[in-house]
Amino acid sequence: MPGTVLLLAASPVGKGRLVDAASVLPVLAAVAPPVLSGTETANVVELADPLEPQAVLTRLRAAATAPGPLSVFITGQLQLDRRQHLPHLALARTTPATVRYTGFPWAWIREELRLRPPGTTTLLLDLHADAETWQWLRTHPLDSGRTHAVHGRIAPPPPRREVAAPTYMKAVATVLRSGHRPQAEQLHQLAVARLGADAYADVFLSTPTHTTGPTPTPTPTPTPDIDPHIAIASAVQAGRHSVADALAAEHEQAAVRVHGRGAEQALHWTEVRADLAMLAGDPVRSCRAWLAVAGARLAAGESVDTPAVEAAVDRAHHQWGQIHDPAPARELGLALAELRGRVPGRRAGALDHVRKQLLQLQP
């Protein structure tokens, strides 16, 4: 099966730039796509200094839904937004004051890759952090997803008025230009060996678990024969959508019994079922599930601009737009309009769009 490769290099234009991220792309582009992917054939998508978070999200979402192995190479810098202190990948227009609106939330990476079958996704990261983010990472591991191999490095900010080079990713590219793609962990080790003493202050990441950062929290590697996500993904790939949903429903109910309806463990499975409904072509069920997730998160005290809340409402909105039956469209549209009034999201005019569509749905 063909592989997919996403090359993302991003850093701000101007004095806020910590690393010349895009300089690595010509080196990576010189590597044959099958070598980048480790498959016989591969599709490569390249994003160089993108301007808009939504553009990055669109490309990441398309890559995440592609069948076959996925390799994501990310080079850039991390910054925290001033309101929630959550990490974002800085884009071309990002400044310290506008991170929340112009940066790409790191949580979106985890969210978009969440349903991929375990063992099919590899992230290679070369990230620089500003001083505030570097300190934050010492107590807050960078969550990139629970079943993905993550390798790379996070570097502290360079000296003032200096722009760092993405030396780790260039070392990865140099290894790959030999024409051979070793296993991800070996590729990482070979790249680190090329950096030598110049990288003494960096933190190197090499783990298949769900937490990465200067002080990662140890977590067990999921066991393939007991991880329910594997069985669910297999059922979806075989077109057995009702079986996949039944499996997810069992785990959702078990999580509710143990942790409560609004607990993160239960909401995870509600989100899985929402995605499964989308994959099964049932936008009514998917929209309803995403509305339930958003409502539960808000009831649990999460703020209206929390990435998980915004993502749930955005997905409910998208699925609502796929509903062609007027009756459920009216019912869910009213609930969505009420929710959009509280959670406007990052795209201007979302509430107005719902209201206009509701007017057209009136009998």
Side-chain angles (χ1 to χ4, degrees), residues 206-232:
S206 187
T207 172
T209 62
H210 78 284
T211 50
T212 57
T215 54
T217 303
T219 57
T221 302
T223 305
D225 60 349
I226 64 172
D227 189 343
H229 297 81
I230 296 177
I232 291 170

Side-chain angles (χ1 to χ4, degrees), residues 175-245:
V175 173
L176 293 177
R177 287 179 68 180
S178 67
H180 169 63
R181 164 72 185 259
Q183 293 295 321
E185 185 172 355
Q186 183 184 6
L187 173 61
H188 168 75
Q189 293 170 350
L190 291 170
V192 171
R194 287 178 171 270
L195 298 182
D198 291 340
Y200 71 94
D202 301 350
V203 170
F204 292 98
L205 318 170
S206 187
T207 172
T209 62
H210 78 284
T211 50
T212 57
T215 54
T217 303
T219 57
T221 302
T223 305
D225 60 349
I226 64 172
D227 189 343
H229 297 81
I230 296 177
I232 291 170
S234 298
V236 170
Q237 291 176 346
R240 297 157 57 201
H241 296 286
S242 60
V243 173
D245 182 65

